[in-house]
Amino acid sequence: MTTRHPLLRLIDWLLRHLTLLVGVALVSAILLGYFAPAAAVKMQPLGDWFVDVIKVFIPFIIFLTIATGITGMSNLRKVGRIGVKALVYFEVVTTLSLAIGIFMAYLIKPGHIDRAGLPIQNAKKYVVQGAKGFDWWEFFRTNLTLQVLVLAIIAGIVFSMQARREKIMKVLEICTRMVFRVLKYVMLLAPVGAFGGMAFTIGKYGIRTLIPLGKLMLSVYATMILFVIVVLGSILRYFKLNIFTYLRNIKEEILIVLGTSSSEAALPSLMAKLEQMGCSQPVVGLVVPTGYSFNLDGTSIYLSMATIFLAQLYNVSLTPGELLTILGILMVTSKGAAGVTGSGFIVLASTLTAIQKIPVEGLAFLLAVDKFMSEARAITNIIGNGVATLVIAKSEKEYQSITYAHS
């Protein structure tokens, strides 16, 4: 019997205990940030580097998974039905999340706090140049993910019409396996990325920075938890699935997102997990990447709550008509937020500029905790995209009841 190479055994062990390693990295990062903040801040490149490495693979993953999914479909009418159903689901749920964010902000009133002593500064310099409104062409021109998404859909349709469709499918599947195989080993670096991201956050901002915005942070986190358990939980329950079982099965991905503040970092493994749960590969390949542009529940909640928070902070009264306008603007601008750290802040800047009533300078209040907000946004986003995939798969009978694997 051949003995496996020690390096291969080590890799297998690391993969099996990745959740534990990420957890240890996060605890270590928090301790370093608290006791040695200067050293912790220097860990930032580790987190940034890990996310940058993952992002290199994202266009390839999106193209291969969507193109393979569409090419493998038995008929294009089915692809069209799944695509339309997914987009309708995305719009309904994200609009609901925006409305819930506005409602909770008025219910909790996180912006009704004493402003004395807060470090008011000019936030205009943090707003991207030219953010005078939402421009669909500019959004598409500068959004590589959306460009690849459109290209993949077109390529998939073209491939599915070819006489040699089966051979094309085999090439796509081989390329997909190669990309995911490389990514499997890249994910071994997840504890390093999680450590760097969390250490920088604690070392840079500390607890004292959170005091003025503690109420907002708690409100956002509480709202997102309620959204996941109540709203997404009810949706899954309707389709005879359990939200807590689902969350247990993606705990590794949640921990990765917690450390890196980027839902993109967990995209490859989330797609693999959803297939293991019973969703067909074509549905996973079509719904998940599309959801990363159009189904950002966490970002939607944050944007609506942060907007109302700033209005409360500056004592700006908003009429019902203005609230509907804000809701409409956010329905568009929220689609421009990717699952990357800091994107929500830029989108919020564009939204406030478009509204032209709430002072843009208020963004300065959010700078200190945007990293923490980014974690909540990214976690909710990835949970929501997984739920969307399960729902579409179940409704399309592209789901096989499989016993969930627990690690």
Side-chain angles (χ1 to χ4, degrees):
M1 182 175 180
T2 305
T3 303
R4 298 191 68 194
H5 193 280
L7 180 59
L8 294 177
R9 293 203 302 269
L10 175 61
I11 291 174
D12 288 341
W13 185 90
L14 291 173
L15 289 172
R16 288 198 307 270
H17 297 85
L18 192 58
T19 301
L20 174 63
L21 294 173
V22 171
V24 170
L26 291 175
V27 172
S28 302
I30 292 171
L31 292 175
L32 179 64
Y34 183 79
F35 291 107
V41 169
K42 296 178 181 179
M43 299 298 108
Q44 182 185 13
L46 295 178
D48 293 344
W49 174 77
F50 176 71
V51 175
D52 289 342
V53 171
I54 293 295
K55 286 168 62 178
V56 169
F57 292 89
I58 298 301
F60 300 100
I61 294 173
I62 291 176
F63 179 84
L64 289 171
T65 52
I66 290 182
T68 303
I70 294 178
T71 306
M73 285 290 191
S74 58
N75 62 76
L76 286 179
R77 284 179 297 178
K78 190 173 185 180
V79 175
R81 187 174 67 246
I82 291 177
V84 171
K85 185 178 291 186
L87 290 175
V88 170
Y89 174 91
F90 294 159
E91 198 57 49
V92 170
V93 176
T94 52
T95 302
L96 180 61
S97 63
L98 286 169
I100 289 173
I102 291 175
F103 173 78
M104 292 298 290
Y106 273 102
L107 179 66
I108 303 173
K109 295 181 173 58
H112 289 173
I113 57 178
D114 184 7
R115 282 188 5 218
L118 289 181
I120 300 176
Q121 52 183 297
N122 187 354
K124 288 183 178 178
K125 62 182 179 180
Y126 298 104
V127 181
V128 284
Q129 295 294 324
K132 298 179 180 180
F134 189 83
D135 187 319
W136 272 107
W137 170 246
E138 185 65 18
F139 170 43
F140 180 80
R141 189 182 68 82
T142 60
N143 193 315
L144 177 62
T145 298
L146 189 59
Q147 293 170 6
V148 174
L149 183 67
V150 172
L151 178 63
I153 292 173
I154 296 173
I157 293 173
V158 172
F159 292 158
S160 66
M161 295 177 176
Q162 302 302 310
R164 305 173 67 181
R165 184 172 65 90
E166 295 300 325
K167 291 185 177 180
I168 295 175
M169 270 289 295
K170 288 182 180 179
V171 173
L172 290 173
E173 288 172 352
I174 291 172
C175 293
T176 302
R177 283 198 299 270
M178 290 175 60
V179 171
F180 274 90
R181 185 176 300 164
V182 174
L183 276 168
K184 184 174 91 169
Y185 296 114
V186 170
M187 292 306 295
L188 291 173
L189 301 173
V192 178
F195 175 82
M198 185 61 74
F200 170 76
T201 300
I202 301 300
K204 175 71 174 178
Y205 302 117
I207 301 300
R208 64 179 179 81
T209 314
L210 302 179
I211 295 175
L213 297 170
K215 193 173 180 181
L216 174 63
M217 282 191 57
L218 290 175
S219 300
V220 170
Y221 272 84
T223 301
M224 292 189 183
I225 290 172
L226 287 174
F227 178 81
V228 169
I229 295 176
V230 178
V231 178
L232 297 183
S234 298
I235 293 173
L236 284 183
R237 187 178 180 85
Y238 178 81
F239 287 93
K240 296 180 172 54
L241 295 172
N242 186 281
I243 185 67
F244 297 106
T245 303
Y246 163 66
L247 292 176
R248 282 197 300 271
N249 279 273
I250 63 166
K251 59 182 181 294
E252 291 92 350
E253 288 69 31
I254 292 175
L255 284 172
I256 291 171
V257 173
L258 177 63
T260 63
S261 298
S262 171
S263 54
E264 284 188 339
L267 183 147
S269 54
L270 173 67
M271 296 176 73
K273 284 285 181 67
L274 288 169
E275 289 187 42
Q276 292 172 11
M277 291 178 192
C279 299
S280 69
Q281 191 278 331
V283 172
V284 173
L286 189 64
V287 176
V288 175
T290 308
Y292 268 70
S293 290
F294 295 98
N295 187 43
L296 303 175
D297 301 332
T299 301
S300 298
I301 291 173
Y302 165 75
L303 290 173
S304 57
M305 293 195 76
T307 301
I308 302 304
F309 166 78
L310 292 175
Q312 293 171 349
L313 199 66
Y314 282 96
N315 198 27
V316 174
S317 298
L318 298 171
T319 65
E322 288 171 336
L323 285 175
L324 289 176
T325 301
I326 289 174
L327 183 63
I329 292 174
L330 288 173
M331 285 173 62
V332 178
T333 55
S334 63
K335 302 301 185 292
V340 184
T341 306
S343 60
F345 183 82
I346 301 301
V347 172
L348 182 59
S350 300
T351 303
L352 294 179
T353 307
I355 294 171
Q356 295 184 341
K357 184 167 184 179
I358 302 171
V360 179
E361 287 80 5
L363 290 173
F365 290 108
L366 301 177
L367 287 176
V369 295
D370 186 70
K371 169 71 175 178
F372 291 94
M373 298 294 190
S374 182
E375 293 164 355
R377 294 194 298 264
I379 290 173
T380 308
N381 288 342
I382 192 173
I383 292 173
N385 278 318
V387 169
T389 306
L390 289 168
V391 167
I392 301 301
K394 287 279 285 187
S395 66
E396 284 292 311
K397 294 181 172 44
E398 292 282 347
Y399 177 89
Q400 296 179 350
S401 296
I402 297 175
T403 303
Y404 283 71
H406 296 281
S407 54

